[in-house]
Amino acid sequence: MNRRFVLTVIAVLVIGTAAGLMAGLFFGTTRDLPQIEALKSFKPSSVSRVYSEDGALLAEFYAEKRDPVPLAIVPTHLQNAIINTEDRNFYDHNGVDLKGIARAIVKDILARNFVEGASTITQQLAKTLFLTREKSIDRKLKEAILAFQLERRYTKKEILELYLNQIYFGSGAYGVESAANIYFGKGVSELTLAECALLAGLPKSPSRYSPLVSPEKAIRRRNLVLKLLHDRHRITTPAYKAALAEPLALTGKRGRVHQAPYFVDYLKGELAGIVGLDRLYQDGLTIRTTLNLSLQKAGEASMAKNMARLEARMKRHRIKNPAPQCAFFAVDVNTGGILAMAGGRNFKKSPFNRATQAKRQPGSSFKPFIYGLAVEQGIDQNRLILDSPVSFSMGRGKKPWQPKNFSRKYSGEVTLRKALALSKNIPAVRLADSLGVANVAAFARRLGITSQLSNNLSLALGTSETTLMELTRAYAVFPNQGVKSDPMAITRIENRDGRVIWEGRPSHAVALSREDAAVITDMLAAVVTEGTGKGALRVGKPLAGKTGTTDNYRDALFLGFSPYVAAGVWVGNDNYTPLGRVETGARAALPIWTDLMDTAWENRPTARFDHPDGVTLRHMDPDTGRIASEPAKGSVPALFKTH
């Protein structure tokens, strides 16, 4: 056999085997590569934002802090700084820098480790979008192949834009817009040359060069980037020197923005049911809410001030380690929109929401439901009822129940108006007994109380536990002409393109007649003008409400409303221990409620409570109930249904 022929056959076999191995390696490497055509519809994860009713930013939800922006608004300085720092030959290669790879391989072999990378911007993008961060030959091959494909299908500008919106800059910032906001409190288009250079130096090692962690290293890295730009004639000498001299000014947002944290946490639960948590954290939604930030801040400030005062009083009463809690809840009377909410004094220390989740005894703040049923049954507010000691049989072998007034004083016959205004217990119990406890409970449920209510006379004294949210919703029925509105927190949700994908609509139901609502509102207004709620008179505007205090001063409440806003405040200890002597609803809760309502009246036209055609205004003696044709000394104007 001819020797040349044998050598030829051997050469063909070797080449064929090598080609087969190369083909096998290629197909083995590429068989599980992702399809980059998906980039045509690719939308990076972005930040969802929550806004108050007046457009203030309340919170941000994100898995990665990212705000995609078009390349056109990214400063040229930042583009040049990134390219010259990360991939100086970006506009000259086809996705892979062969010289850079050769240089890196030599260094890695000499060091017997992966000490230097040679990834181009396109390769980094491919790795970020499609691959893991594993350091291996297989991953590098896939990265190179994907980079070639990206370069074939997309322009350099498109690749650079994707890269700038994907790259991690540390401190939770993904993309140049989020980085500019987190570090400098401004949009990327507003960055100075020095700020652009600082950001461009971060992708190499975001944690090491972070200006929040190590300002000195960040400045040294920034200055190195500036030198590169200057040496490569991308910036002038005067601009270079000015940028070197620019001090580091970090005025950005550190961490997630969260105002009204209890409201935001409540909102998160609502959003989970509407759009799902995946979309909330990834889709860049805009959530418009009902929250009034001015009212929220007024409530928080008043809570801090008055709870500090309460703690001081508790210490004077020798209560060890006082740590009382507080909650408030306010809604728009007409729509049910939640205007303010706090479930405690400090969300970070205690995220449990005492406004929506905690069930506590309402005490005397439950009494309006008894008097409301009486009005509905045709009993006028000047009806006399006996205020004297009473005993109720509890059955054979059991001690009789003998309720008492808070003051331990009794007034004989009193009008319903005065009994409610002064929060007398005995008249409320007698009235509930005559109306029927089951009927009182049904009336309360009709107005919005959803918690279980006991079927015994102690219900009249507010012994059945409810939430502050339930009570406030029920009270809002009175100034809303008898219409119950379910609390709502979200007005609309928009996608990242600004299209409305969900809209909130108020939910209304008639709970009692307009005339009955007007009369009970008038009686609750007497609590402020003539009774236990006089502390609210300083607001100088129409207000109505009711105090609530439970046994041994364990809970202090005030529930009430203006023609526009209904609100409730609760104060108590989480462990149900007493707040201290004489810490009533009027003393511990009313001051916070009054501050809330004072703010709620701001920028609203003066209005009075509803006075429908079915009721008439008369002058009555609040003690005897006698009606006078004209105002007389000691008489008060009061509403009566026209029977």
Side-chain angles (χ1 to χ4, degrees):
M1 186 177 292
N2 188 306
R3 185 181 179 194
R4 177 174 292 182
F5 175 75
V6 172
L7 291 174
T8 301
V9 170
I10 292 172
V12 169
L13 289 173
V14 170
I15 293 171
T17 302
L21 289 172
M22 292 294 291
L25 178 63
F26 176 81
F27 287 112
T29 302
T30 59
R31 65 184 173 83
D32 60 347
L33 282 178
Q35 298 298 310
I36 67 168
E37 284 81 1
L39 274 178
K40 294 176 182 177
S41 58
F42 173 73
K43 289 187 177 180
S45 169
S46 54
V47 180
S48 292
R49 291 187 169 87
V50 178
Y51 294 92
S52 66
E53 66 168 359
D54 54 351
L57 180 63
L58 296 178
E60 296 175 330
F61 292 107
Y62 53 85
E64 298 175 346
K65 184 74 166 63
R66 193 191 309 277
D67 289 295
V69 293
L71 186 65
I73 75 165
V74 178
T76 303
H77 284 319
L78 182 52
Q79 296 182 43
N80 287 336
I82 287 285
I83 290 170
N84 280 272
T85 306
E86 294 294 315
D87 183 7
R88 63 180 297 185
N89 298 318
F90 174 67
Y91 284 108
D92 299 321
H93 60 64
N94 292 318
V96 177
D97 186 350
L98 297 177
K99 290 182 180 179
I101 290 175
R103 182 176 63 252
I105 288 174
V106 170
K107 290 188 176 182
D108 289 348
I109 290 173
L110 291 175
R112 296 183 180 181
N113 199 358
F114 293 100
V115 296
E116 181 173 320
S119 294
T120 64
I121 282 176
T122 315
Q123 285 175 273
Q124 291 181 53
L125 178 63
K127 178 178 65 179
T128 300
L129 292 176
F130 302 117
L131 303 172
T132 68
R133 301 185 67 84
E134 171 198 9
K135 288 187 175 182
S136 67
I137 296 297
D138 181 62
R139 200 268 292 163
K140 293 295 290 184
L141 283 171
K142 290 179 178 179
E143 182 184 291
I145 293 168
L146 286 170
F148 278 126
Q149 292 184 26
L150 285 171
E151 291 275 350
R152 286 178 56 199
R153 287 171 173 79
Y154 299 97
T155 68
K156 289 288 187 180
K157 286 188 175 181
E158 289 172 331
I159 291 170
L160 183 60
E161 180 178 301
L162 270 172
Y163 176 83
L164 290 172
N165 282 313
Q166 285 292 322
I167 200 69
Y168 183 54
F169 288 90
S171 299
Y174 289 79
V176 290
E177 179 72 4
S178 291
N181 271 286
I182 282 178
Y183 293 120
F184 303 113
K186 62 175 79 171
V188 67
S189 63
E190 304 171 87
L191 294 179
T192 66
L193 169 59
E195 292 166 345
C196 288
L198 188 140
L199 291 190
L202 292 175
K204 180 178 177 64
S205 182
S207 59
R208 181 181 181 188
Y209 296 122
S210 169
L212 301 179
V213 177
S214 181
E216 298 81 7
K217 288 181 181 178
I219 290 175
R220 285 200 296 271
R221 177 70 176 164
R222 178 199 73 178
N223 293 347
L224 178 61
V225 173
L226 288 169
K227 187 175 187 303
L228 284 174
L229 291 173
H230 180 253
D231 291 349
R232 294 170 185 172
H233 308 291
R234 295 297 184 182
I235 58 175
T236 65
T237 299
Y240 171 56
K241 290 181 178 179
L244 286 176
E246 186 174 308
L248 183 62
L250 301 174
T251 58
K253 307 166 187 173
R254 303 190 183 189
R256 298 175 190 241
V257 178
H258 266 198
Q259 299 192 79
Y262 286 99
F263 175 78
V264 169
D265 190 61
Y266 171 84
L267 197 70
K268 183 178 173 181
E270 297 283 294
L271 290 166
I274 297 172
V275 297
L277 291 180
D278 287 345
R279 293 189 68 186
L280 176 62
Y281 280 90
Q282 296 178 17
D283 282 13
L285 305 175
T286 296
I287 298 106
R288 309 286 179 183
T289 74
T290 58
L291 189 98
N292 183 295
L293 193 55
S294 295
L295 191 61
Q296 177 72 28
K297 288 184 177 296
E300 290 172 351
S302 181
M303 178 169 62
K305 175 183 67 179
N306 284 287
M307 294 304 286
R309 291 174 177 173
L310 173 59
E311 282 189 357
R313 295 196 299 268
M314 293 172 75
K315 288 177 181 177
R316 288 199 299 270
H317 292 143
R318 298 182 180 179
I319 296 176
K320 294 181 179 179
N321 303 316
Q325 276 293 348
C326 178
F328 61 77
F329 188 83
V331 296
D332 183 286
V333 162
N334 300 120
T335 67
I338 299 171
L339 302 176
M341 176 196 294
R345 298 173 66 182
N346 188 309
F347 181 82
K348 289 183 179 179
K349 291 182 179 179
S350 177
F352 178 65
N353 194 328
R354 296 160 185 82
T356 61
Q357 296 173 289
K359 291 195 173 186
R360 303 290 293 240
Q361 291 183 353
S364 293
S365 65
F366 188 84
K367 290 175 182 174
F369 306 125
I370 305 168
Y371 288 88
L373 177 60
V375 170
E376 188 176 62
Q377 297 273 329
I379 301 174
D380 292 325
Q381 61 173 306
N382 68 335
R383 175 78 65 88
L384 295 175
I385 191 165
L386 190 60
D387 176 30
S388 63
V390 65
S391 180
F392 294 92
S393 173
M394 302 303 291
R396 182 180 296 178
K398 295 182 179 179
K399 291 178 63 176
W401 182 51
Q402 297 175 327
K404 295 178 175 60
N405 284 337
F406 175 79
S407 65
R408 300 298 193 269
K409 296 179 181 179
Y410 304 92
S411 304
E413 286 192 326
V414 295
T415 61
L416 264 59
R417 179 187 181 95
K418 186 171 183 177
L420 179 60
L422 297 180
S423 197
K424 288 181 170 289
N425 288 341
I426 301 304
V429 174
R430 288 183 185 273
L431 190 58
D433 185 45
S434 65
L435 294 170
V437 173
N439 294 328
V440 171
F443 182 85
R445 282 193 288 269
R446 201 196 318 158
L447 268 65
I449 301 298
T450 56
S451 295
Q452 185 174 351
L453 300 174
S454 64
N455 191 31
N456 58 63
L457 276 176
S458 68
L459 177 68
L461 303 183
T463 56
S464 291
E465 296 178 337
T466 63
T467 67
L468 190 64
M469 184 179 186
E470 289 174 62
L471 286 169
T472 307
R473 171 175 60 179
Y475 267 67
V477 172
F478 301 132
N480 197 30
Q481 302 180 5
V483 176
K484 179 180 68 176
S485 300
D486 291 336
M488 59 179 285
I490 306 167
T491 54
R492 70 178 187 275
I493 302 172
E494 303 163 7
N495 66 12
R496 73 176 77 197
D497 300 319
R499 183 172 60 86
V500 176
I501 60 172
W502 188 90
E503 212 161 357
R505 291 180 174 83
S507 174
H508 300 307
V510 175
L512 70 161
S513 74
R514 183 176 175 183
E515 293 76 17
D516 293 334
V519 173
I520 190 61
T521 294
D522 183 59
M523 294 175 70
L524 288 170
V527 175
V528 173
T529 58
E530 306 160 31
T532 57
K534 283 185 178 179
L537 284 174
R538 65 176 178 82
V539 176
K541 298 287 181 67
L543 293 173
K546 183 71 188 72
T547 51
T549 309
T550 61
D551 284 348
N552 296 317
Y553 308 104
R554 288 188 174 92
D555 302 270
L557 302 98
F558 197 91
L559 277 293
F561 47 83
S562 72
Y564 300 110
V565 175
V569 174
W570 166 86
V571 176
N573 289 311
D574 284 337
N575 60 5
Y576 291 87
T577 56
L579 289 168
R581 184 170 166 272
V582 200
E583 292 298 342
T584 62
R587 192 179 194 195
L590 179 57
I592 300 170
W593 184 88
T594 303
D595 286 342
L596 269 172
M597 300 308 290
D598 196 14
T599 302
W601 266 108
E602 290 179 359
N603 303 316
R604 292 183 185 270
T606 300
R608 300 202 174 276
F609 291 119
D610 186 41
H611 186 161
D613 291 339
V615 299
T616 183
L617 184 68
R618 296 181 178 180
H619 297 277
M620 65 169 276
D621 185 315
D623 296 320
T624 65
R626 290 178 185 148
I627 303 297
S629 57
E630 295 180 359
K633 184 178 180 180
S635 68
V636 295
L639 290 183
F640 293 84
K641 289 195 293 183
T642 53
H643 299 289

Coordinates of all heavy atoms in Angstrom, one line a residue, residues 251-286:
T251 N -26.9 62.0 48.5 CA -28.2 62.5 49.0 C -29.4 61.7 48.5 O -30.5 62.1 48.5 CB -28.4 64.0 48.5 OG1 -28.4 64.0 47.1 CG2 -27.3 64.9 49.0
G252 N -29.1 60.5 48.2 CA -30.1 59.6 47.6 C -30.9 58.9 48.6 O -30.8 59.1 49.8
K253 N -31.8 58.0 48.1 CA -32.7 57.2 49.0 C -32.0 55.9 49.4 O -31.6 55.2 48.5 CB -34.0 56.9 48.2 CG -34.7 58.1 47.6 CD -35.7 57.6 46.6 CE -36.3 58.8 45.9 NZ -37.2 58.4 44.8
R254 N -31.8 55.7 50.6 CA -31.1 54.5 51.1 C -32.1 53.5 51.5 O -32.9 53.8 52.5 CB -30.1 54.8 52.2 CG -29.1 55.9 51.8 CD -28.0 56.0 52.8 NE -27.1 57.1 52.5 CZ -26.0 57.3 53.1 NH1 -25.6 56.6 54.1 NH2 -25.2 58.3 52.7
G255 N -32.2 52.4 50.8 CA -33.2 51.4 51.2 C -34.6 51.8 50.6 O -34.8 52.7 49.8
R256 N -35.6 51.0 50.9 CA -36.9 51.1 50.4 C -37.7 52.3 51.1 O -37.5 52.5 52.2 CB -37.7 49.8 50.6 CG -37.0 48.7 49.8 CD -37.7 47.3 50.1 NE -36.9 46.3 49.6 CZ -37.3 45.4 48.6 NH1 -38.5 45.5 48.1 NH2 -36.5 44.4 48.2
V257 N -38.4 53.0 50.2 CA -39.2 54.1 50.8 C -40.5 53.5 51.4 O -41.2 52.7 50.7 CB -39.6 55.0 49.6 CG1 -40.5 56.2 50.1 CG2 -38.4 55.6 48.9
H258 N -40.8 53.8 52.6 CA -42.0 53.3 53.3 C -42.5 54.4 54.2 O -42.0 54.6 55.3 CB -41.7 52.0 54.1 CG -42.0 50.8 53.3 ND1 -42.2 49.6 53.9 CD2 -42.1 50.6 52.0 CE1 -42.4 48.6 53.0 NE2 -42.4 49.2 51.8
Q259 N -43.6 55.1 53.7 CA -44.3 56.0 54.6 C -45.6 55.2 54.9 O -46.1 54.4 54.2 CB -44.6 57.3 53.9 CG -43.4 58.1 53.5 CD -43.7 59.5 53.1 OE1 -43.9 60.4 54.0 NE2 -43.7 59.8 51.8
A260 N -46.2 55.6 56.0 CA -47.5 54.9 56.5 C -47.3 53.4 56.4 O -48.0 52.7 55.7 CB -48.7 55.4 55.6
P261 N -46.3 52.8 57.1 CA -46.0 51.4 56.9 C -47.1 50.4 57.2 O -47.2 49.4 56.6 CB -44.8 51.2 57.9 CG -44.9 52.3 58.9 CD -45.5 53.5 58.1
Y262 N -48.0 50.8 58.2 CA -49.1 49.8 58.5 C -50.1 49.8 57.3 O -50.6 48.8 57.0 CB -49.8 50.2 59.8 CG -49.0 49.9 61.0 CD1 -48.3 50.9 61.7 CD2 -49.0 48.6 61.6 CE1 -47.5 50.6 62.8 CE2 -48.3 48.3 62.7 CZ -47.5 49.3 63.4 OH -46.8 49.0 64.5
F263 N -50.3 51.0 56.8 CA -51.2 51.0 55.6 C -50.5 50.3 54.4 O -51.2 49.5 53.7 CB -51.4 52.5 55.2 CG -52.2 52.7 53.9 CD1 -53.6 52.5 53.9 CD2 -51.6 53.0 52.8 CE1 -54.3 52.7 52.8 CE2 -52.3 53.2 51.6 CZ -53.7 53.0 51.6
V264 N -49.3 50.5 54.2 CA -48.6 49.8 53.1 C -48.6 48.3 53.3 O -48.8 47.6 52.3 CB -47.1 50.3 52.9 CG1 -46.3 49.5 52.0 CG2 -47.1 51.8 52.5
D265 N -48.4 47.8 54.5 CA -48.5 46.4 54.7 C -49.9 45.9 54.5 O -50.0 44.8 53.9 CB -48.0 46.1 56.2 CG -47.8 44.7 56.5 OD1 -46.9 44.1 55.8 OD2 -48.5 44.1 57.3
Y266 N -50.9 46.6 54.9 CA -52.3 46.2 54.7 C -52.5 46.2 53.2 O -53.1 45.3 52.6 CB -53.2 47.2 55.3 CG -54.7 47.1 55.0 CD1 -55.5 46.2 55.6 CD2 -55.2 47.9 54.0 CE1 -56.8 46.0 55.3 CE2 -56.6 47.8 53.7 CZ -57.4 46.8 54.3 OH -58.7 46.7 54.0
L267 N -52.0 47.2 52.5 CA -52.1 47.3 51.0 C -51.5 46.1 50.3 O -52.1 45.6 49.3 CB -51.5 48.6 50.6 CG -51.8 49.1 49.2 CD1 -53.2 49.6 49.2 CD2 -50.8 50.2 48.8
K268 N -50.4 45.6 50.8 CA -49.7 44.5 50.2 C -50.6 43.3 50.2 O -50.6 42.5 49.2 CB -48.4 44.2 51.0 CG -47.6 43.1 50.4 CD -46.3 42.9 51.2 CE -45.5 41.7 50.8 NZ -44.3 41.5 51.6
G269 N -51.4 43.1 51.2 CA -52.3 42.0 51.3 C -53.4 42.1 50.2 O -53.8 41.2 49.6
E270 N -53.9 43.4 50.1 CA -54.9 43.6 49.1 C -54.3 43.4 47.7 O -55.0 42.8 46.8 CB -55.3 45.1 49.2 CG -56.0 45.5 50.5 CD -57.4 45.0 50.6 OE1 -58.3 45.5 49.8 OE2 -57.7 44.1 51.4
L271 N -53.1 43.8 47.4 CA -52.5 43.7 46.1 C -52.2 42.3 45.7 O -52.3 41.9 44.6 CB -51.2 44.5 46.0 CG -51.5 46.1 46.0 CD1 -50.2 46.8 46.3 CD2 -52.0 46.5 44.7
A272 N -51.9 41.5 46.7 CA -51.6 40.0 46.5 C -52.9 39.4 45.9 O -52.7 38.5 45.0 CB -51.2 39.4 47.8
G273 N -54.0 39.8 46.3 CA -55.3 39.2 45.8 C -55.7 39.8 44.4 O -56.4 39.1 43.7
I274 N -55.2 41.0 44.1 CA -55.6 41.7 42.9 C -54.7 41.3 41.7 O -55.1 40.9 40.7 CB -55.7 43.2 43.1 CG1 -56.8 43.5 44.1 CG2 -56.0 43.9 41.8 CD1 -56.8 45.0 44.5
V275 N -53.4 41.5 41.9 CA -52.4 41.3 40.8 C -51.4 40.1 41.1 O -50.8 39.7 40.2 CB -51.6 42.6 40.5 CG1 -52.6 43.7 40.1 CG2 -50.8 43.0 41.8
G276 N -51.3 39.7 42.4 CA -50.4 38.7 42.7 C -49.0 39.3 43.1 O -48.6 40.3 42.6
L277 N -48.3 38.6 44.0 CA -47.0 39.2 44.5 C -46.0 39.2 43.4 O -45.1 40.1 43.4 CB -46.6 38.4 45.7 CG -47.4 38.6 47.0 CD1 -46.9 37.8 48.1 CD2 -47.5 40.1 47.4
D278 N -46.0 38.2 42.5 CA -45.0 38.2 41.4 C -45.0 39.5 40.6 O -44.0 40.1 40.3 CB -45.1 37.0 40.5 CG -44.7 35.7 41.2 OD1 -44.0 35.8 42.2 OD2 -45.0 34.6 40.7
R279 N -46.2 39.8 40.2 CA -46.4 41.0 39.4 C -46.1 42.3 40.2 O -45.5 43.2 39.7 CB -47.8 41.1 38.8 CG -48.2 40.1 37.8 CD -49.5 40.4 37.2 NE -49.5 41.6 36.3 CZ -50.5 42.1 35.7 NH1 -51.7 41.6 35.9 NH2 -50.4 43.2 35.0
L280 N -46.5 42.3 41.4 CA -46.2 43.4 42.3 C -44.7 43.7 42.4 O -44.3 44.9 42.3 CB -46.8 43.2 43.7 CG -46.5 44.3 44.7 CD1 -47.1 45.6 44.3 CD2 -47.1 43.9 46.1
Y281 N -43.9 42.7 42.5 CA -42.5 42.9 42.7 C -41.7 42.9 41.4 O -40.5 43.2 41.4 CB -41.9 41.7 43.6 CG -42.2 42.0 45.1 CD1 -43.3 41.5 45.7 CD2 -41.3 42.7 45.8 CE1 -43.6 41.7 47.0 CE2 -41.5 42.9 47.2 CZ -42.7 42.4 47.8 OH -42.9 42.6 49.1
Q282 N -42.3 42.7 40.3 CA -41.5 42.6 39.0 C -42.0 43.5 37.9 O -41.2 43.9 37.0 CB -41.5 41.2 38.5 CG -40.8 40.2 39.4 CD -40.8 38.8 38.9 OE1 -41.1 38.6 37.7 NE2 -40.5 37.8 39.8
D283 N -43.3 43.9 37.9 CA -43.9 44.5 36.7 C -43.9 46.0 36.6 O -44.4 46.6 35.7 CB -45.3 44.0 36.5 CG -45.4 42.5 36.0 OD1 -44.3 41.9 35.9 OD2 -46.5 42.1 35.6
G284 N -43.3 46.7 37.6 CA -43.3 48.1 37.5 C -44.6 48.8 37.6 O -44.9 49.7 36.8
L285 N -45.5 48.3 38.4 CA -46.9 48.9 38.5 C -46.9 50.2 39.2 O -46.0 50.5 40.1 CB -47.8 47.9 39.2 CG -47.8 46.4 38.7 CD1 -48.7 45.6 39.6 CD2 -48.4 46.4 37.3
T286 N -47.9 51.0 38.9 CA -48.2 52.2 39.7 C -49.5 52.0 40.4 O -50.5 51.8 39.8 CB -48.2 53.4 38.7 OG1 -47.0 53.6 38.1 CG2 -48.6 54.7 39.5

